[in-house]
Amino acid sequence: KLVELHSEKTDARFAVGDLYLGKVKKLIPGLNAAFVDVGYEKDAFLHYLDLGPQFSSLQKFTKLVRAKKINAGRLDKFNGEADIDKHGKITQQLSKSQLLPVQVVKEPISTKGPRLSCELALAGRYLVLVPFSNAVSVSKKITSSEERKRLLRLIQSIKPENFGVIIRTVAEGKEVAELDRDLRSVVKTWEEGMSRLAAANPRDKIIGELDKTSSLLRDMLNESFVNVHVDGKKIYEVVR
């Protein structure tokens, strides 16, 4: 009995969650936004409010990585900058041809290019990693105050410096080993992406969101599963 069917477009470029090295094409002061080239036929849209409070830290970090003055994704020795003014102007932060890491938050549709954000966030199975922040927050769907406190304490004790973490609903009741494994895996994705950033060309994809199969398994798979059926050798290798 079929319960759910998910389909995926074969051209999975510019999927939500993908990180690119974008190049600023045009500033639109009237919209307080910029158009950014990420390699799509239409330029992507980046609004000032989507730069995120830690934009100055992201810019400083990007320059250090590109100049090979900092070891890939490590943030423990990185000194962040002050938050930007949330009522500021796009022209104060961006200039034409500037390079910046951007994340797709809305996929392109018909006449519009992707919508972008500079508030980078990488999703794991139980956690979402937020570079340049130090805040730890718990999904509101976890209602037990004891469990919320346990998860907060636990994540604060294992998370790397200068990374924030959002604890997802599925983390409820999970052991420290599982959460630690998930955290390490997402940090590794970040570090690998940042080592690509060091030599990336404009429009290059730096971090790709998982394909549909992998992201479903990441979020759903647990010990109650008996087996998983696949119908192709390539996807079998990925799943295994």
Side-chain angles (χ1 to χ4, degrees):
K1 181 183 168 193
L2 180 66
V3 178
E4 275 183 46
L5 176 66
H6 296 256
S7 67
E8 179 173 41
K9 295 195 290 288
T10 46
D11 178 17
R13 290 170 74 226
F14 308 106
V16 169
D18 285 349
L19 251 78
Y20 286 86
L21 180 61
K23 183 177 189 178
V24 177
K25 286 294 284 284
K26 195 169 165 190
L27 300 174
I28 316 285
L31 292 174
N32 207 12
F35 282 107
V36 179
D37 180 9
V38 288
Y40 188 68
E41 63 216 45
K42 296 260 189 326
D43 288 336
F45 184 78
L46 174 64
H47 192 273
Y48 180 85
L49 292 175
D50 293 321
L51 293 177
Q54 284 101 22
F55 183 69
S56 298
S57 296
L58 174 68
Q59 275 301 96
K60 177 182 175 183
F61 177 76
T62 303
K63 282 178 184 153
L64 290 170
V65 168
R66 305 271 300 163
K68 314 271 195 300
K69 288 183 177 166
I70 195 167
N71 177 12
R74 297 290 296 275
L75 295 182
D76 46 352
K77 306 260 190 322
F78 176 73
N79 293 319
E81 299 288 299
D83 286 2
I84 64 171
D85 176 7
K86 67 171 179 221
H87 303 296
K89 298 278 177 275
I90 198 89
T91 47
Q92 296 167 317
Q93 299 298 337
L94 296 181
S95 53
K96 197 170 181 238
S97 300
Q98 186 173 339
L99 298 181
L100 66 165
V102 286
Q103 188 163 31
V104 176
V105 288
K106 200 171 177 187
E107 291 176 16
I109 46 167
S110 63
T111 59
K112 293 181 175 175
R115 175 97 191 231
L116 305 175
S117 172
C118 289
E119 283 196 87
L120 310 182
L122 305 183
R125 184 171 181 188
Y126 303 119
L127 313 161
V128 177
L129 190 71
V130 186
F132 311 110
S133 160
N134 262 312
V136 178
S137 59
V138 186
S139 160
K140 289 188 173 66
K141 289 183 185 164
I142 298 178
T143 50
S144 150
S145 64
E146 282 305 301
E147 180 61 359
R148 291 177 73 84
K149 280 183 199 149
R150 179 188 81 94
L151 288 167
L152 275 171
R153 266 201 313 270
L154 210 154
I155 296 302
Q156 272 161 343
S157 68
I158 61 173
K159 81 170 186 65
E161 205 179 326
N162 286 330
F163 283 102
V165 173
I166 300 162
I167 301 166
R168 302 177 70 181
T169 313
V170 282
E172 192 165 6
K174 293 292 177 278
E175 296 295 320
V176 61
E178 275 188 278
L179 298 174
D180 185 50
R181 192 159 55 236
D182 191 43
L183 182 63
R184 282 170 193 265
S185 151
V186 191
V187 169
K188 184 165 179 258
T189 301
W190 164 259
E191 289 180 348
E192 286 168 354
M194 292 309 102
S195 46
R196 279 193 284 279
L197 173 67
N201 294 313
R203 310 164 120 199
D204 281 359
K205 188 194 281 193
I206 302 164
I207 295 175
E209 190 41 271
L210 295 172
D211 60 46
K212 191 66 121 186
T213 308
S214 303
S215 64
L216 275 171
L217 287 172
R218 173 190 72 193
D219 294 344
M220 311 280 290
L221 193 66
N222 59 38
E223 58 285 344
S224 74
F225 278 65
V226 179
N227 43 33
V228 174
H229 295 267
V230 294
D231 65 354
K233 194 157 177 146
K234 193 172 162 195
I235 205 102
Y236 165 75
E237 290 300 336
V238 171
V239 167
R240 192 165 64 91

